């Protein structure tokens, strides 16, 4: 029997960065907010402190902070001719399942995506002509501008304690920063992290090659910091346990030690953990949502939580899944190219080289989440001409490493035996001597890369699993080859003793090994309801009291990590709700 | 090998005892230095966080708060916290108590430490 609860102003589904930001902002605006989170409440003091947090087996191998695939997972295939099969173990990406979400276990890389992404189709058509964009590449403009988002990027960077060096303040190029970045109003809240030897060596080589290296901006506090909300950060200790772990020093910008505790102190807020939302409920004419249905995972009790407004703030894949399960918006059909829910699923690509220097000691166990140096010469540098290379998109190249864990980190020259005494000898010999240079590349939307509901497999609640259809296309292969060439040229210039060169990723995509937790698209934002699910305020075109927040709103995926725009858009949406929507609940953009 | 860190620590202590804690700390400046500690330590009684509460720290034995989970190293350190022992500890916490669990590299500047300790003497009461 379903228990119907008392109506609240807002129900938030998922309490990570986006849910946390919206919970804080909307409770402060006087709204009654209930947040429903699948995972448990965990805290720095009881869960992420020393020595227990440095447990690679628990957190990396056994995915202690991640989604439990025995309860719900996705099915996967490369193209529509294949039968999709369930991903029974996490691999390529790692959705968080805990209060704080993936914001607990991220590395902290925080970038500003710019008009190069937001106007992508217009930019390429204007410069290269319409024919340059392949017919099956369904990229489109986002309907938002960098100028609109700039104050919200700033707000997120100051909340999350981003350490970095500005490259462009109010149009003035700054020495030591990224000269290609879009103009920002002020410096980062904190100076860059201390560079490690590997990033310094990469920077020298990149500069000698004529490129423009700069320290990667990261939400790893380079020194103790109190953010504008009063949340206190310790200084990063370069312990190397960043990605996959909660921070032992409260130095990594995370929602569980910033926005969420502030919301929890507010009497307008209520958090219900272990709460699994199965459906967003609609009224009889389908124009508004009325709340959500959820199950208490601890005892199986089922509830209906009515609300004047529903905000989907779960992991990107799960937001899209809930839209499909709830029948909101028209599901996307890749054959007819009609419908919008599930459209433009994108991922990222890359290439990487490992360099070995006999006699060097990189001390790989000492690093921060963002202790790399990066070049954007082939990324947001629009002067880089794509025409001779015939691809749309971009990649950044970084040198260094941000995590090198005792069990998993075993850099070995290619040709080393995979086991036995020779493997042991080589492991001991090369462990200290290796560094990496890697590229992270964009993935352009393609009509056949999409989500829908699986016809066969179901989750623990009897609901169809989400089906992901994805593969890299010729565009990404071409970009990968270009990136591998650039990486190998830089690597060779550094004269390593041995080099495992970079190669382009051209095999079909698979769910193993880990690649990146940067799944985007599926409920994309845009300028009209024919080709997008949400307007620029992340408000559903179909139900105006439903907002869907997260990387699922990106119409394509850039080379940069997604959390910068995810955080900025959460603040942007919070302002739109507080300042406009609550005063006049209606579509914020006419359809 | 296991004896090595202890002997380094002992050497460190001998060296550091040449430089006693300064008594001229400025509590007002020390409040700003406390930012290094504040992400993990609170000053109110019974307010354990990532680190133990610093309420009434002076005169307390290290590892003495019953419901805080200290490292074995801290519990058996035998330290009683005074301005002098805290000053020595904060130079390089791993040198004075090897294997303690505080993720903090230390405060190198003696003037900064004196300011911080002056602040703690007021604020921890």
């Amino acid at each position: 029997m379903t228990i119907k609860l008392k109506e609240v102003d807002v129900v938030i589904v998922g309490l990570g960065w986006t849910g946390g930001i919206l919970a804080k902002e909307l409770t402060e605006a006087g709204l009654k907010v209930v947040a429903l989170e699948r995972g448990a409440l965990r805290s720095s003091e009881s869960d992420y402190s020393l020595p227990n947090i440095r447990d690679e087996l628990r957190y990396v191998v056994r995915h202690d902070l991640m989604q439990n695939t025995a309860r719900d997972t996705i099915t996967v295939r490369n193209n529509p001719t294949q039968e999709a099969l369930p991903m029974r173990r996490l691999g390529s990406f790692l959705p968080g399942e805990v209060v704080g979400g993936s914001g607990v276990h991220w590395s902290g890389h925080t970038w500003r995506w710019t008009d190069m992404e937001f106007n992508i189709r217009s930019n390429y058509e204007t410069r290269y002509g319409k024919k340059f964009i392949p017919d099956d590449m369904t990229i489109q403009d986002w309907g938002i501008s960098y100028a609109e988002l700039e104050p919200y990027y700033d707000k997120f960077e100051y909340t999350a304690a981003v350490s970095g060096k500005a490259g462009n303040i109010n149009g003035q190029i700054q020495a030591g920063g990224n000269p290609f970045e879009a103009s920002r109003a002020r410096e980062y809240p904190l100076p860059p992290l201390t560079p490690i030897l590997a990033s310094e060596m990469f920077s020298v080589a990149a500069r000698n090659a004529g490129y423009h290296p700069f320290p990667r901006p990261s939400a790893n506090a380079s020194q103790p910091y109190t953010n504008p909300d009063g949340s206190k950060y310790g200084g990063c200790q370069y312990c190397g346990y960043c990605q996959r772990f909660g921070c032992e020093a409260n130095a990594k910008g995370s929602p569980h030690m910033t926005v969420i505790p502030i919301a929890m102190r507010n009497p307008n807020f209520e958090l219900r953990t272990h709460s699994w939302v199965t459906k967003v409920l609609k009224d009889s004419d389908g124009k508004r949502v009325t709340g959500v249905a959820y199950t208490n995972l601890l005892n199986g009790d089922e509830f209906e939580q009515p609300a004047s407004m529903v905000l989907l703030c779960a992991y990107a894949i799960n937001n899209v899944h809930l839209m499909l399960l709830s029948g909101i918006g028209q599901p996307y059909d890749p054959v007819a190219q009609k419908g919008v829910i599930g459209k433009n699923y994108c991922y990222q690509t890359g290439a990487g080289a490992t360099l070995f220097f006999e006699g060097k000691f990189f001390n790989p166990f000492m690093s921060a989440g963002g202790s790399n140096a990066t070049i954007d010469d082939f990324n947001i540098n629009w002067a880089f001409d794509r025409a001779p290379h015939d691809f749309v998109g971009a990649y950044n190249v970084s040198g260094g490493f941000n995590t090198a864990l005792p069990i998993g980190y075993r850099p070995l020259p290619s040709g080393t035996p995979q086991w036995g005494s020779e493997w042991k000898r080589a492991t001991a010999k090369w462990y200290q001597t290796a560094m990496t240079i890697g590229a992270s590349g964009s993935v352009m939307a393609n009509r056949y890369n999409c989500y829908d509901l699986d016809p066969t497999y179901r989750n623990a609640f009897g609901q169809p699993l989400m089906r992901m259809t994805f593969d890299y296309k010729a565009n990404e292969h071409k970009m990968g080859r270009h990136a591998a060439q650039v990486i190998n040229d830089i690597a060779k210039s550094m004269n390593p003793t041995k080099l495992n060169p970079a190669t382009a990723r051209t095999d079909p995509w698979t769910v193993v090994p880990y690649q990146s937790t940067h799944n985007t698209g599926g409920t994309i934002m845009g300028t009209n309801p024919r080709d997008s699910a949400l307007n620029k305020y992340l408000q559903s075109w179909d139900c105006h009291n439903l907002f869907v927040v997260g990387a699922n709103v990106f119409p394509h995926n850039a080379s940069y990590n997604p959390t910068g725009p995810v955080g900025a858009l959460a603040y942007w949406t919070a302002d739109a709700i507080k300042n406009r929507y609550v005063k006049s609940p209606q579509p914020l953009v006419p359809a | 090998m296991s004896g090595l860190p202890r002997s380094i620590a002992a050497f460190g202590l001998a060296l550091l005892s040449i430089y006693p804690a300064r008594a001229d700390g400025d509590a007002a400046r020390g409040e700003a230095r406390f930012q290094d500690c504040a992400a993990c330590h609170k000053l109110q009684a019974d307010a354990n966080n990532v680190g133990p509460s610093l309420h009434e720290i002076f005169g307390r034995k290290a590892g003495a708060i019953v419901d805080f989970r200290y490292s074995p190293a801290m519990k058996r350190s035998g330290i009683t916290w005074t301005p002098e022992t805290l000053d020595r500890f904060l130079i390089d916490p791993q040198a004075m108590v090897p294997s303690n669990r505080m993720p903090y590299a230390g405060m190198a500047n003696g003037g900064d430490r004196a300011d911080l300790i002056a602040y703690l003497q007021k604020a921890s009461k």
Side-chain angles (χ1 to χ4, degrees), chain A residues 200-261:
Chain A
E200 284 185 330
M201 286 170 58
F202 169 78
S203 293
V204 170
R207 205 172 287 118
N208 288 342
Y211 306 136
H212 301 83
F214 61 93
R216 167 172 289 225
S218 281
N220 311 139
S222 55
Q223 59 195 44
Y225 172 67
T226 303
N227 81 6
D229 299 324
S231 305
K232 294 187 187 307
Y233 286 80
C236 176
Q237 301 296 309
Y238 302 86
C239 74
Y241 286 76
C242 203
Q243 188 181 166
R244 321 281 173 87
F245 302 89
C247 180
E248 66 192 42
N250 271 338
K252 177 167 69 177
S254 299
H256 75 275
M257 42 77 72
T258 54
V259 287
I260 291 171

Side-chain angles (χ1 to χ4, degrees), chain A residues 44-45 50-52 224 226 232-234 237 248 250, chain B residues 35-36 38-40 49-50 69 101-105:
Chain A
S44 297
E45 53 271 31
L50 283 167
N52 297 349
T226 303
K232 294 187 187 307
Y233 286 80
Q237 301 296 309
E248 66 192 42
N250 271 338
Chain B
Q35 184 162 256
D36 274 29
C40 300
N49 195 276
V50 174
R69 199 163 164 276
R101 285 179 194 149
M102 182 167 78
Y104 181 62

Side-chain angles (χ1 to χ4, degrees), chain A residues 439-502:
Chain A
S440 166
S442 61
V443 167
M444 293 300 111
N446 182 280
R447 68 182 284 191
Y448 293 109
N449 286 339
C450 59
Y451 297 113
D452 61 357
L453 293 177
D454 191 272
T456 309
Y457 294 96
R458 291 173 179 266
N459 67 14
F461 302 88
Q463 298 181 297
L465 295 186
M466 179 85 122
R467 177 166 67 179
M468 174 189 286
T469 305
F470 177 74
D471 207 353
Y472 298 116
K473 306 298 179 188
N475 185 70
E476 283 68 49
H477 298 168
K478 285 185 254 184
M479 189 179 65
R481 280 192 279 271
H482 192 272
Q485 183 69 46
V486 167
I487 291 169
N488 291 336
D489 287 347
I490 296 173
K492 284 174 194 158
S493 79
M494 295 166 73
N495 283 319
T497 318
K498 287 187 185 275
L499 172 65
N500 294 350

Side-chain angles (χ1 to χ4, degrees), chain B residues 85-115:
Chain B
T85 55
L86 189 60
D87 181 69
R88 236 188 288 155
F89 181 66
L90 288 175
I91 295 170
D92 181 353
Q94 286 298 330
M96 183 163 168
V97 186
S99 305
N100 86 77
R101 285 179 194 149
M102 182 167 78
Y104 181 62
M107 189 177 281
N109 184 297
D112 287 348
R113 291 196 307 278
D115 293 343

Side-chain angles (χ1 to χ4, degrees), chain A residues 515-526:
Chain A
Q515 289 151 62
S516 95
T517 305
H518 304 157
N519 314 81
T520 65
T523 60
I524 63 177
M525 62 193 292

